[in-house]
Amino acid sequence: RKEVEQDPGPFNVPEGATVAFNCTYSNSASQSFFWYRQDCRKEPKLLMSVYSSGNEDGRFTAQLNRASQYISLLIRDSKLSDSATYLCVVNKAGTYKYIFGTGTRLKVLA
Amino acid sequence: DADVTQTPRNRITKTGKRIMLECSQTKGHDRMYWYRQDPGLGLRLIYYSFDVKDINKGEISDGYSVSRQAQAKFSLSLESAIPNQTALYFCATSGRELQEQYFGPGTRLTVT
């Protein structure tokens, strides 16, 4: 089993739709969780950190479910500019190790 | 100006050549990392450094070496490039206390 797993997609959604991605992780000792956005052939950019209490930034909401060992990203009112690959990253506190998922590709259609 | 820069941005080289990729940052972070990204695979860690005197191998360090010349500079070398080192290479930084990583724009390396 991969340490971090994501559905590769693509998720094709119309503008204005709400879309959600999940990411599962295998190590229950994981402490820090992140969502990054990566455009084609560009660097990953931090979208948001994921806190135990969940967090929201505009149209984006991230949740952590420790019992089931997954994190989620919800995007409301999708924009064409949201089209990208979304990477889930899990860090084990106190170690160097950042484990990257292979990403979920989102296409927002006009 | 970008906080994390990488040079060159693109490079084509031949098998057996030595090549150096450079990374500089103005974020004042202690921790720096080198990753490679291949299609269909997640980013994989090559080397990381927590300060100037600390260098550590990542999961795929064979065929690579690094140098941490200063807090702000971390270079990656391929001593004798081979075609399966063709990939997109990213440098990243993170602060001592914060866990988020910040990435440079990447170097697209092709080994023929």
Side-chain angles (χ1 to χ4, degrees):
Chain A
R1 181 184 175 190
K2 289 183 180 179
E3 292 182 271
V4 175
E5 292 198 75
Q6 296 183 252
D7 183 336
F11 284 59
N12 296 322
V13 301
E15 270 188 292
T18 295
V19 61
F21 313 132
N22 282 344
C23 166
T24 58
Y25 61 95
S26 62
N27 191 335
S28 61
S30 296
Q31 295 292 325
S32 302
F33 309 88
F34 310 93
W35 283 105
Y36 280 76
R37 171 199 169 121
Q38 186 175 27
D39 294 290
C40 188
R41 297 172 180 255
K42 299 284 184 71
E43 74 272 26
K45 293 187 177 179
L46 180 67
L47 183 63
M48 53 200 313
S49 302
V50 187
Y51 305 122
S52 295
S53 57
N55 48 308
E56 184 174 318
D57 182 4
R59 298 182 293 108
F60 299 85
T61 300
Q63 297 281 349
L64 167 63
N65 185 317
R66 286 193 182 274
S68 299
Q69 295 182 205
Y70 73 87
I71 63 172
S72 63
L73 177 67
L74 180 77
I75 305 175
R76 289 180 298 277
D77 189 21
S78 298
K79 312 292 185 189
L80 293 175
S81 58
D82 293 333
S83 297
T85 297
Y86 290 84
L87 305 178
C88 165
V89 184
V90 174
N91 162 263
K92 185 173 181 180
T95 76
Y96 70 88
K97 202 169 183 180
Y98 292 81
I99 306 166
F100 288 77
T102 52
T104 295
R105 191 172 174 197
L106 172 65
K107 294 182 180 179
V108 181
L109 307 172
Chain B
D1 289 340
D3 294 319
V4 185
T5 57
Q6 292 183 232
T7 56
R9 294 295 310 279
N10 289 282
R11 180 73 182 266
I12 299 173
T13 192
K14 294 185 183 297
T15 297
K17 294 291 188 181
R18 183 179 189 274
I19 183 169
M20 179 181 289
L21 310 183
E22 299 186 341
C23 175
S24 295
Q25 53 112 349
T26 58
K27 298 188 75 69
H29 287 166
D30 290 317
R31 302 180 181 198
M32 298 187 73
Y33 311 79
W34 275 104
Y35 291 92
R36 67 177 277 176
Q37 187 174 36
D38 299 276
L41 299 177
L43 274 77
R44 293 183 292 166
L45 183 64
I46 305 171
Y47 270 95
Y48 65 102
S49 169
F50 282 179
D51 64 40
V52 174
K53 296 182 179 180
D54 177 76
I55 302 288
N56 302 281
K57 292 182 177 181
E59 57 182 308
I60 55 163
S61 59
D62 287 349
Y64 302 95
S65 62
V66 292
S67 174
R68 184 83 183 264
Q69 300 94 326
Q71 187 208 33
K73 295 184 182 296
F74 192 35
S75 60
L76 175 71
S77 293
L78 287 67
E79 296 301 326
S80 179
I82 56 177
N84 76 1
Q85 291 178 314
T86 293
L88 186 54
Y89 289 85
F90 290 107
C91 172
T93 74
S94 66
R96 184 182 296 276
E97 298 300 330
L98 296 176
Q99 298 293 318
E100 295 91 348
Q101 288 186 306
Y102 297 89
F103 286 82
T107 295
R108 184 164 298 278
L109 176 66
T110 302
V111 183
T112 61

